[in-house]
Amino acid sequence: MSWLKILGAVIVGALLLTVGILLGHFAIPKGGNGRGAPSWVQTVGRDLNESLLQSFMDQVDSGKIRENLKALASQPHMATTKGDEELVKLLLSRWQDPQIGLDSASEDVYGVFLSFPDPQRPNSVAVGVCGSQIFSTRRSEKNVTADQAHADVVQPYAAYAPPGNPRGRLVYANQGKRSDYLELVNMGINLNGTVAITRYGGAGRANKAVNGAEFGVAGVVVYTDPADINDGRAFEEETYPNSWYLPPSGVERGSYSVYFGDLLTPYYPAKGNIGGAPIPTPSKEVWGGAETLTTPYISGSMSSSNLSGPVAPASWQGSLGCSYHVGPGFRTGGLFPNTSDVQVNVHNQRVIKNSSNVMGFIRGSEEPDRYVLYGNHRDSWVHGAIDPSSGTAVMLEITRVLGKMLKEGMRVWGVHRGATIPSEFYSKLRERSVAYINVDISVFANATLRAQGTPPAQSVIFAAAKQVPGSSMSVYDNWRNHFSRISPSYGVIPNLGSLGAGSDYASFIHYLGITSMDIAYTYDRNKTSARIYPAYHTAFDTFDYADRFIDPGFTSHQAVARTVGNVLLRLADSLILPLNVSDYGEKLDELYSAATQGDFLANLNANNLSLGPLKAAIGQFKSVAADFNQRIMKLKEEESPSPLQIRMVNDQIMLLERAFLNPQAFPNQYYYSHVIWASKSSDQATFPGLADAYTSALETGDWDQVRKHLTIVVQAVESAASTLEAMA
Amino acid sequence: MSWLKILGAVIVGALLLTVGILLGHFAIPKGGNGRGAPSWVQTVGRDLNESLLQSFMDQVDSGKIRENLKALASQPHMATTKGDEELVKLLLSRWQDPQIGLDSASEDVYGVFLSFPDPQRPNSVAVGVCGSQIFSTRRSEKNVTADQAHADVVQPYAAYAPPGNPRGRLVYANQGKRSDYLELVNMGINLNGTVAITRYGGAGRANKAVNGAEFGVAGVVVYTDPADINDGRAFEEETYPNSWYLPPSGVERGSYSVYFGDLLTPYYPAKGNIGGAPIPTPSKEVWGGAETLTTPYISGSMSSSNLSGPVAPASWQGSLGCSYHVGPGFRTGGLFPNTSDVQVNVHNQRVIKNSSNVMGFIRGSEEPDRYVLYGNHRDSWVHGAIDPSSGTAVMLEITRVLGKMLKEGMRVWGVHRGATIPSEFYSKLRERSVAYINVDISVFANATLRAQGTPPAQSVIFAAAKQVPGSSMSVYDNWRNHFSRISPSYGVIPNLGSLGAGSDYASFIHYLGITSMDIAYTYDRNKTSARIYPAYHTAFDTFDYADRFIDPGFTSHQAVARTVGNVLLRLADSLILPLNVSDYGEKLDELYSAATQGDFLANLNANNLSLGPLKAAIGQFKSVAADFNQRIMKLKEEESPSPLQIRMVNDQIMLLERAFLNPQAFPNQYYYSHVIWASKSSDQATFPGLADAYTSALETGDWDQVRKHLTIVVQAVESAASTLEAMA
């Protein structure tokens, strides 16, 4: 969840991920040991070895994860900086270690389009009257544990915000959602030429600026309100280093790019030298309409509580200890003269810099052409102890144990550790990848497992989580206690969340249609309502912070490592892939059901559209998936099934997710091709393309688009069903 | 090559093809017969059985192909007419026959967007003066063998031409190429509001109208000049039924749609009822700019030879026995008053009608999830003896012999006979298809084999053609005598042509990236320069015509059936797929080399673009492909290779073609995704996207597009190389 989630996972070809691909199976020969038969007869039928699973989990060491994290977060390691380059070496040395290394490891270099602040001209928000500046934001966080004074701490900035110096009266625009700006307009406020201050949350970073630009806003300032991240605590002594809360000087850095993926090379490898021509500068529109700055929450006091104009709506109020007004301009008698303008100074520089994708591989013994991918980005905004090094620390422990087991003779049948998606490998990854496991921030908090994924991932995550012990109950039971839902098929089960585009899995699921999952430990929502762990993307996200406040003892890191390693080994070594395809049926039913709620169906019918074909397609899918599972059951009962039969059903399982891809479905959204999971802006809880087309048709009357998206969904579901059908 | 080539193959989901899918291998167990081993150990390693190949070829019966053709062409069978529906029944009954049938056969119904003439108001070209009509084209061909008098002979028309009645002075525009219209303008002729008469050839049908519309032409008439199709013979007694030449009343019907694929449902199944909404009418632009009509060549006399204005350029002259002028308007003292206008009357009707895709299947015994596809469209314009029934007659003979062998105990390992591309099955076909074999017109003439395909198809076609006997030499040797090239790798070999988009393979290669080939017998170019066999798309394309003039004795039909069946069995039954991936290297070299010719490279360099990365990528591809072939050699030497190892290399071979797909490469061209084979309009002989971008940049200066297409090609070639790499 750093910008390299955006730059790495997403900027295809940016290769800032460290991903693992692993596909193996080992142990327990199943039947077919005829003497005189070729030797492979004894290995191709082997199924998962439970005792190796147990051995793996026993060896996962919380102390070693802590050591990993201490090393990884010892200094700032923003992408392409010295600290980051040192981590490249660290990863390579671990994975190439003769005692505990993997089969191989390598790095690939890409030229990535990045945005950095100008060290000579810091970004700032200044308040001035008649040309004289009377206030300017500070350059960075206050030094509280020495870490913040490190020379490589980058000043807070809104990466990819276009340079400029807009100046205008200040308005408070809540979270910068389109509806927030609209509400200001409805209050009679002329937004043209104003500078909007907005809180983090509610809308994506870049969208705060894009939305504002639509209403003529000239500059946008983004700050963190203690209401949103500190459970309301705003006094310095209540915050880090005395608690996990964010000190008043903390600023969330982040990417303000609208798209995921390298802005200059969408769909292509970030190798700018192809053809040799200079790389064009993307137009201002690419990353949003207004110059943007991110500021500490103390800067909030500069705004809402000191503004003139009407009192902001109740839901807009925060925790800065006073009533928030909306402006425009400062109030009389406040901190600043009421004639003061605010100036946003953005001096961001655009550069293309080299960065490496580090990949480690374990080669499969039986099916080296099937990959299990495991990944994370490497770079941070500052020290990045939690984001992303908590994930990398877990990855290194998993690979240490696997490497050790490999050296001790374990033989997997398809290991292949590596990689973000260097796009020259798109077609290879698309054809061969069984699943992608993402562990970015591995521990947001130490209360419970939290997993997201597409439906087939549910079965393997559940199986793993049931085997991992917690302090008083299994990781699975604890998870169900915190987040549960009632499944029509299974009763009360843990709730597997949906994947958005917020981490390194984005290209894997949205563009390549690879079954993906994201696994972490997270909050007890009875204890905190923080939007995210408070030090996120600030100079306070340090090893000390993680060690004392996020996961003392590193038991949650250990639980994540055990769960993820268990999932990974199950995917690599089960004779039949442990992904239950019929679980997609519940999701399809849920999305369909949402389309029959409220006015949706009535409006469709009024425009001669029917959900009948969609209902039929989903019914067909569920029926075919149930038959498919029956055939698997029979196959498992066979004494010695043919390896080609096994491969056939495994391919059907692997490729199911690909059947939902449609590269023509969302022509205006880079990378989004998955008909079930694409992003949407509509509030309708149904299939994304259908939801957006419907919401748009209510305004424009363009029901042809709704018809088109109905067709797209029906085709995708029929195609998915077709993939699972018995061979003619 | 009827409109259903356009409607069927291409109109995705139109399912007018009858395609075969077959994947099997049988015979000769190779090693691994250990006692006590599972039974599949004995079957998974079986390789192609040469004696079964021979048995298949021996059984192919030219007399039975003749009988098939007589039945298929007994009456007109334009798509969705009674004659066509009867062929659906014929195909199903053959493939479901208990003695010689396949494993199964079925039909799927689609609602296809079609264009028919109005029986009540025939299309015509009329000449009038002062409102009185003094001439009108005849309704159809002259009756010469009774076939032409059949009640179901459709009047000649330009399918999909928009209805209208434009009227204006006549001009002669040669072949209706853009350059032809431009030349008229350069002669000082104002084309605005004129009616252009054009010859078939040179430009696609629809393009004659699209190009004309750009210059203000109001209507377009298309006729066949005897120079182009009759080796100059224009007298009735020299033509059919006295020879194979086209009688003066013959008219080539055809589709004047710009795109391939159903115009209303690009990318989606032609099932208009999804969502239930009425299907929108495509805009006039979708199918071209001007009302268009196709006329007999006697109508040519109405035009060029009777026109006023300058004499047409030498290359524009035809064989109507007089000097062609360009107009505008008729000359003084000609057939028509020089004040006459010409009126084009188009009364085409647009309809959506149901039609069936008929599929036959042979199930594979070992790998039923791998398909070998074989197909053709079923419908004709009139009797369609040659187009397409000569192909269907061959298909029925191949399936008869295979069906008989099946009933006699032959067991293939993956048979699956069927289908155009119903688009609900896109993802399935894309993931599982080994190759697509197209036999549309099987015999244009009886002189020599002519094959087109992507490079990996070369090896399997050569292997088959070498085994098929001709009258004095093998089909292969005869082919090489007629069409040869010098290959850097192999010396003098037959020339495998490139696939365009002119037949039923279009979606398979361009959209799905399935290795495709098209096989037929064709002309001796020393004996005729006819653009195509003269009765093409006319009412003279009858069984009598085929039997007496195209292939007396049906030996060429037999040679095609033997070659195709041999290819099909090799693809179905070889342990390792007989597609030589390294043959792509020669094609890449050739396309690269074309980019270094003339000013191309200099202009690139002048704009800071380099071919270096492309050269490197092609070098890498060739090196990886050579290594790949080495590994296959080793694998073949192994006593008993693992079935998963075999499957791995077969998947690499199968998926190589997919690696060249890029759905973002040609956003404005429906379906075209294959970076090597996409259509281009530029004359540059290099990679199509690069060629078009280059030609465009010379005019517009937009070298960024050239850079983009360089990147696209480099990525595609790198991706292809990556697919063939040894597993890490």
Side-chain angles (χ1 to χ4, degrees):
Chain A
M1 309 246 288
S2 87
W3 81 341
L4 284 171
K5 145 197 32 190
I6 306 240
L7 275 188
V10 161
I11 283 191
V12 181
L15 52 91
L16 299 142
L17 293 182
T18 46
V19 180
I21 313 183
L22 198 151
L23 222 189
H25 79 243
F26 46 110
I28 314 184
K30 188 176 180 185
N33 288 309
R35 273 153 303 178
S39 61
W40 47 259
V41 173
Q42 301 176 29
T43 56
V44 293
R46 283 181 179 160
D47 204 353
L48 180 71
N49 183 339
E50 289 278 346
S51 71
L52 270 177
L53 263 192
Q54 194 57 51
S55 165
F56 169 84
M57 291 193 295
D58 290 348
Q59 293 181 66
V60 171
D61 182 336
S62 57
K64 289 213 170 352
I65 301 176
R66 184 175 182 277
E67 285 167 29
N68 288 341
L69 187 62
K70 197 167 184 177
L72 291 165
S74 64
Q75 58 180 332
H77 50 284
M78 187 163 66
T80 74
T81 63
K82 184 175 63 68
D84 181 44
E85 290 308 307
E86 284 176 13
L87 290 195
V88 170
K89 289 180 199 131
L90 184 151
L91 292 170
L92 284 172
S93 75
R94 293 282 181 99
W95 292 343
Q96 293 170 342
D97 184 286
Q99 305 309 317
I100 54 160
L102 305 176
D103 286 343
S104 63
S106 62
E107 60 173 320
D108 282 325
V109 179
Y110 294 78
V112 192
F113 177 67
L114 300 172
S115 163
F116 293 116
D118 182 345
Q120 311 308 321
R121 296 186 297 166
N123 295 342
S124 66
V125 190
V127 180
V129 187
C130 307
S132 314
Q133 180 176 306
I134 59 174
F135 170 88
S136 178
T137 46
R138 56 179 296 144
R139 287 203 185 187
S140 188
E141 284 93 343
K142 190 170 166 185
N143 182 22
V144 299
T145 65
D147 288 319
Q148 294 74 35
H150 195 289
D152 293 342
V153 172
V154 71
Q155 57 166 283
Y157 72 116
Y160 296 109
N165 303 83
R167 183 187 173 110
R169 292 297 159 105
L170 196 66
V171 295
Y172 172 52
N174 193 29
Q175 297 177 315
K177 301 189 295 288
R178 193 171 182 278
S179 58
D180 293 331
Y181 290 109
L182 212 52
E183 185 143 358
L184 289 175
V185 170
N186 290 340
M187 288 180 196
I189 293 169
N190 178 3
L191 293 173
N192 213 37
T194 60
V195 169
I197 187 159
T198 64
R199 297 188 286 159
Y200 265 116
R205 296 187 191 99
N207 290 330
K208 296 173 193 289
V210 173
N211 295 337
E214 185 187 338
F215 294 91
V217 169
V220 174
V221 178
V222 184
Y223 80 104
T224 299
D225 198 288
D228 299 319
I229 206 145
N230 273 3
D231 295 319
R233 287 167 184 80
F235 296 111
E236 195 160 14
E237 57 274 23
E238 297 174 303
T239 64
Y240 184 71
N242 301 310
S243 78
W244 82 324
Y245 290 117
L246 182 66
S249 69
V251 188
E252 177 182 325
R253 293 151 187 81
S255 166
Y256 282 71
S257 161
V258 176
Y259 300 104
F260 66 84
D262 185 284
L263 290 174
L264 296 179
T265 59
Y267 299 118
Y268 304 102
K271 290 185 170 172
N273 61 331
I274 288 180
I279 291 188
T281 304
S283 64
K284 187 171 170 178
E285 288 65 36
V286 168
W287 58 63
E291 281 76 11
T292 314
L293 197 78
T294 175
T295 66
Y297 74 72
I298 47 169
S299 303
S301 63
M302 176 185 109
S303 62
S304 40
S305 52
N306 277 296
L307 287 181
S308 65
V311 173
S315 66
W316 294 28
Q317 297 297 321
S319 298
L320 289 172
C322 48
S323 172
Y324 291 18
H325 289 244
V326 298
F330 295 107
R331 68 182 167 88
T332 309
L335 272 178
F336 304 109
N338 65 2
T339 54
S340 312
D341 272 346
V342 165
Q343 180 162 324
V344 176
N345 298 305
V346 179
H347 302 293
N348 288 349
Q349 297 176 323
R350 302 159 191 162
V351 292
I352 294 170
K353 292 192 81 173
N354 282 347
S355 190
S356 292
N357 186 28
V358 181
M359 297 183 278
F361 304 90
I362 302 177
R363 189 181 195 277
S365 62
E366 303 303 318
E367 293 185 85
D369 60 339
R370 288 293 175 263
Y371 307 155
V372 177
L373 304 150
Y374 167 31
N376 184 22
H377 59 284
R378 180 185 67 235
D379 67 299
S380 60
W381 284 101
V382 192
H383 297 80
I386 294 301
D387 180 5
S389 299
S390 66
T392 313
V394 161
M395 175 183 280
L396 285 176
E397 176 59 1
I398 290 174
T399 58
R400 180 191 69 85
V401 177
L402 289 178
K404 186 159 162 285
M405 290 169 77
L406 278 173
K407 308 290 172 185
E408 289 167 0
M410 165 183 116
R411 239 319 130 186
V412 288
W413 48 265
V415 176
H416 196 173
R417 182 158 302 281
T420 175
I421 312 193
S423 55
E424 59 269 48
F425 306 132
Y426 273 164
S427 90
K428 198 168 173 171
L429 289 176
R430 182 183 163 131
E431 306 295 0
R432 300 179 187 166
S433 300
V434 164
Y436 173 71
I437 307 166
N438 195 61
V439 184
D440 174 352
I441 295 171
S442 69
V443 179
F444 292 85
N446 61 356
T448 172
L449 192 75
R450 183 232 60 185
Q452 302 169 331
T454 64
Q458 177 177 282
S459 49
V460 68
I461 299 174
F462 280 8
K466 283 175 183 171
Q467 288 189 318
V468 179
S471 55
S472 63
M473 64 185 87
S474 72
V475 161
Y476 176 90
D477 287 336
N478 183 53
W479 179 16
R480 189 176 51 187
N481 286 350
H482 278 87
F483 302 108
S484 68
R485 71 174 177 102
I486 300 172
S487 150
S489 316
Y490 307 108
V492 180
I493 56 174
N495 185 38
L496 183 76
S498 294
L499 295 166
S503 186
D504 308 301
Y505 50 72
S507 299
F508 292 91
I509 180 62
H510 294 302
Y511 188 54
L512 296 178
I514 295 168
T515 295
S516 297
M517 61 200 90
D518 184 80
I519 297 175
Y521 248 64
T522 194
Y523 320 99
D524 180 343
R525 279 302 177 197
N526 293 320
K527 295 188 181 160
T528 179
S529 67
R531 187 172 56 78
I532 193 163
Y533 74 92
Y536 174 72
H537 285 197
T538 72
F540 305 113
D541 185 356
T542 59
F543 173 73
D544 173 71
Y545 181 84
D547 192 39
R548 290 199 297 130
F549 296 112
I550 297 289
D551 188 23
F554 282 74
T555 52
S556 295
H557 282 80
Q558 185 183 43
V560 170
R562 285 172 166 166
T563 307
V564 168
N566 191 306
V567 165
L568 196 154
L569 284 169
R570 285 176 178 276
L571 287 167
D573 284 353
S574 297
L575 188 58
I576 293 183
L577 287 172
L579 301 166
N580 185 3
V581 295
S582 73
D583 288 340
Y584 241 118
E586 277 192 14
K587 187 70 200 179
L588 297 177
D589 273 342
E590 178 193 322
L591 294 170
Y592 170 79
S593 169
T596 64
Q597 308 296 309
D599 296 334
F600 198 99
L601 184 56
N603 281 323
L604 250 54
N605 292 344
N607 288 280
N608 294 318
L609 293 161
S610 153
L611 289 177
L614 178 55
K615 188 177 185 178
I618 293 172
Q620 170 71 0
F621 175 86
K622 291 196 293 182
S623 157
V624 167
D627 289 350
F628 181 80
N629 280 351
Q630 285 292 320
R631 289 199 303 283
I632 286 183
M633 292 289 281
K634 275 195 179 168
L635 198 59
K636 283 182 173 172
E637 285 163 13
E638 279 185 30
E639 165 79 10
S640 174
S642 145
L644 292 178
Q645 268 190 290
I646 301 284
R647 172 81 167 209
M648 182 172 80
V649 301
N650 280 341
D651 277 3
Q652 289 177 285
I653 295 169
M654 176 177 88
L655 295 172
L656 170 66
E657 202 88 60
R658 255 64 115 217
F660 289 111
L661 293 181
N662 182 335
Q664 277 81 38
F666 312 103
N668 301 318
Q669 296 181 278
Y670 282 154
Y671 298 111
Y672 286 105
S673 302
H674 198 303
V675 169
I676 311 298
W677 304 109
S679 78
K680 65 180 172 70
S681 45
S682 161
D683 291 335
Q684 299 291 334
T686 189
F687 300 91
L690 185 60
D692 281 352
Y694 171 88
T695 301
S696 169
L698 290 180
E699 267 188 46
T700 65
D702 184 1
W703 292 91
D704 278 350
Q705 279 298 308
V706 180
R707 183 182 165 279
K708 182 184 160 191
H709 278 281
L710 261 177
T711 302
I712 286 170
V713 173
V714 170
Q715 185 193 15
V717 175
E718 285 181 352
S719 174
S722 171
T723 294
L724 297 179
E725 273 170 3
M727 300 298 150
Chain B
M1 310 248 286
S2 87
W3 81 340
L4 286 170
K5 146 199 32 194
I6 307 243
L7 274 187
V10 163
I11 281 189
V12 180
L15 52 93
L16 298 142
L17 294 184
T18 48
V19 180
I21 311 186
L22 195 153
L23 222 190
H25 79 243
F26 46 109
I28 314 183
K30 187 175 180 182
N33 287 309
R35 273 153 304 181
S39 60
W40 48 259
V41 174
Q42 300 176 29
T43 55
V44 293
R46 284 183 180 160
D47 204 352
L48 180 70
N49 183 339
E50 289 278 348
S51 70
L52 270 177
L53 262 192
Q54 194 56 53
S55 164
F56 169 83
M57 290 194 295
D58 290 347
Q59 294 182 64
V60 169
D61 183 337
S62 57
K64 288 211 170 355
I65 300 176
R66 184 176 182 276
E67 286 167 27
N68 288 341
L69 188 62
K70 196 167 185 177
L72 292 164
S74 64
Q75 59 180 334
H77 49 282
M78 188 164 64
T80 74
T81 63
K82 184 175 66 64
D84 181 45
E85 290 307 307
E86 284 175 14
L87 290 196
V88 170
K89 289 181 199 127
L90 184 151
L91 292 171
L92 284 172
S93 76
R94 293 282 181 98
W95 292 344
Q96 292 170 344
D97 183 286
Q99 304 311 315
I100 54 159
L102 305 176
D103 287 344
S104 64
S106 62
E107 60 174 321
D108 281 325
V109 179
Y110 294 79
V112 191
F113 177 68
L114 299 172
S115 162
F116 292 116
D118 181 345
Q120 311 308 321
R121 294 186 299 167
N123 295 343
S124 66
V125 190
V127 180
V129 187
C130 307
S132 313
Q133 180 176 307
I134 57 174
F135 169 87
S136 179
T137 47
R138 56 179 296 144
R139 287 204 186 191
S140 188
E141 283 93 344
K142 189 171 166 186
N143 183 21
V144 297
T145 64
D147 287 321
Q148 294 74 34
H150 194 291
D152 293 342
V153 173
V154 71
Q155 56 168 283
Y157 71 116
Y160 296 110
N165 303 81
R167 183 186 172 108
R169 291 299 159 105
L170 196 65
V171 293
Y172 172 52
N174 192 29
Q175 297 177 313
K177 302 190 294 288
R178 194 172 181 277
S179 58
D180 293 330
Y181 290 109
L182 211 52
E183 186 142 358
L184 291 175
V185 170
N186 290 340
M187 288 180 197
I189 294 171
N190 178 4
L191 293 174
N192 213 37
T194 59
V195 169
I197 187 157
T198 62
R199 297 188 286 157
Y200 264 116
R205 296 187 191 99
N207 289 330
K208 296 173 193 288
V210 172
N211 293 337
E214 186 187 337
F215 294 90
V217 169
V220 173
V221 177
V222 184
Y223 81 105
T224 300
D225 198 286
D228 299 319
I229 207 145
N230 275 5
D231 295 318
R233 289 166 183 80
F235 296 110
E236 195 159 15
E237 55 275 24
E238 297 175 302
T239 64
Y240 184 72
N242 302 311
S243 78
W244 83 323
Y245 290 117
L246 182 68
S249 69
V251 188
E252 178 182 325
R253 294 151 185 82
S255 167
Y256 283 70
S257 162
V258 176
Y259 300 106
F260 66 84
D262 187 285
L263 289 175
L264 297 179
T265 58
Y267 300 117
Y268 304 102
K271 289 185 169 170
N273 62 331
I274 287 180
I279 291 188
T281 304
S283 64
K284 187 171 170 180
E285 288 65 37
V286 169
W287 58 64
E291 280 77 12
T292 313
L293 195 78
T294 176
T295 67
Y297 74 69
I298 46 168
S299 303
S301 63
M302 175 184 112
S303 62
S304 39
S305 52
N306 278 297
L307 287 181
S308 66
V311 175
S315 65
W316 293 27
Q317 297 296 323
S319 298
L320 289 173
C322 47
S323 172
Y324 292 19
H325 289 243
V326 299
F330 294 107
R331 67 179 167 90
T332 309
L335 273 178
F336 305 110
N338 66 2
T339 52
S340 310
D341 272 347
V342 165
Q343 180 162 325
V344 176
N345 298 304
V346 179
H347 302 293
N348 287 349
Q349 297 175 326
R350 301 159 191 161
V351 292
I352 293 170
K353 292 191 81 173
N354 282 348
S355 189
S356 291
N357 185 28
V358 181
M359 295 183 280
F361 304 90
I362 302 177
R363 189 180 194 279
S365 61
E366 303 303 317
E367 294 185 86
D369 59 340
R370 286 295 175 262
Y371 307 156
V372 177
L373 303 150
Y374 168 28
N376 183 23
H377 61 284
R378 180 184 66 235
D379 67 298
S380 59
W381 284 100
V382 191
H383 297 78
I386 295 301
D387 181 5
S389 298
S390 66
T392 314
V394 162
M395 176 182 279
L396 284 175
E397 176 59 3
I398 291 174
T399 58
R400 180 191 71 83
V401 178
L402 288 178
K404 185 158 162 286
M405 289 170 78
L406 277 173
K407 307 291 172 185
E408 289 167 1
M410 166 184 115
R411 237 320 131 189
V412 288
W413 50 266
V415 176
H416 195 173
R417 183 158 300 283
T420 178
I421 312 193
S423 55
E424 59 268 49
F425 305 132
Y426 274 165
S427 87
K428 199 168 172 172
L429 288 177
R430 182 184 162 129
E431 305 295 359
R432 298 177 189 168
S433 299
V434 164
Y436 173 72
I437 306 167
N438 196 61
V439 183
D440 174 350
I441 296 172
S442 68
V443 180
F444 291 85
N446 60 356
T448 174
L449 191 74
R450 183 232 57 187
Q452 302 168 330
T454 63
Q458 176 177 282
S459 49
V460 69
I461 298 174
F462 281 7
K466 284 175 182 171
Q467 289 189 320
V468 180
S471 54
S472 63
M473 64 185 88
S474 72
V475 162
Y476 176 89
D477 287 337
N478 183 53
W479 179 17
R480 189 176 49 186
N481 286 349
H482 279 86
F483 302 108
S484 68
R485 70 173 178 105
I486 300 173
S487 150
S489 316
Y490 308 107
V492 180
I493 54 172
N495 185 37
L496 183 76
S498 294
L499 296 166
S503 185
D504 307 301
Y505 50 72
S507 299
F508 292 91
I509 181 60
H510 294 301
Y511 189 54
L512 296 179
I514 294 167
T515 294
S516 297
M517 61 200 90
D518 185 79
I519 296 175
Y521 249 62
T522 194
Y523 321 99
D524 181 344
R525 279 299 177 200
N526 294 319
K527 295 189 180 160
T528 180
S529 68
R531 189 172 55 78
I532 192 163
Y533 72 94
Y536 174 71
H537 286 199
T538 73
F540 305 112
D541 185 355
T542 60
F543 173 73
D544 173 71
Y545 181 84
D547 192 37
R548 292 199 296 130
F549 297 111
I550 298 288
D551 189 22
F554 281 75
T555 52
S556 295
H557 282 82
Q558 185 182 42
V560 171
R562 284 172 169 166
T563 308
V564 168
N566 190 308
V567 166
L568 195 153
L569 285 170
R570 286 175 178 277
L571 287 167
D573 283 353
S574 298
L575 189 57
I576 293 183
L577 288 172
L579 302 166
N580 185 2
V581 296
S582 73
D583 288 339
Y584 241 119
E586 279 193 13
K587 187 72 198 175
L588 297 177
D589 273 342
E590 177 193 324
L591 294 170
Y592 170 79
S593 170
T596 64
Q597 307 296 311
D599 297 335
F600 198 99
L601 185 56
N603 280 322
L604 250 55
N605 291 344
N607 288 281
N608 293 319
L609 293 160
S610 154
L611 289 177
L614 178 56
K615 188 176 185 180
I618 293 173
Q620 170 72 0
F621 175 85
K622 292 196 292 182
S623 157
V624 167
D627 290 350
F628 181 79
N629 280 351
Q630 285 293 321
R631 288 200 304 282
I632 286 183
M633 292 289 282
K634 276 195 180 170
L635 199 58
K636 283 183 172 171
E637 285 163 14
E638 279 186 30
E639 165 77 10
S640 172
S642 145
L644 292 178
Q645 269 190 288
I646 302 282
R647 171 83 167 208
M648 182 171 80
V649 300
N650 279 340
D651 277 2
Q652 288 176 285
I653 295 170
M654 176 177 88
L655 295 172
L656 170 65
E657 202 87 61
R658 255 64 115 217
F660 289 110
L661 293 181
N662 182 335
Q664 275 83 37
F666 312 103
N668 300 320
Q669 296 182 278
Y670 282 154
Y671 298 113
Y672 287 105
S673 303
H674 198 302
V675 169
I676 311 298
W677 305 111
S679 77
K680 66 180 171 68
S681 44
S682 162
D683 291 334
Q684 299 291 332
T686 188
F687 300 91
L690 185 60
D692 280 352
Y694 172 87
T695 301
S696 170
L698 290 181
E699 269 188 45
T700 65
D702 185 2
W703 292 91
D704 278 351
Q705 280 297 308
V706 180
R707 185 183 164 279
K708 182 183 161 192
H709 279 281
L710 262 178
T711 303
I712 286 170
V713 174
V714 171
Q715 185 192 17
V717 176
E718 286 182 350
S719 174
S722 171
T723 294
L724 297 179
E725 272 170 4
M727 301 297 151

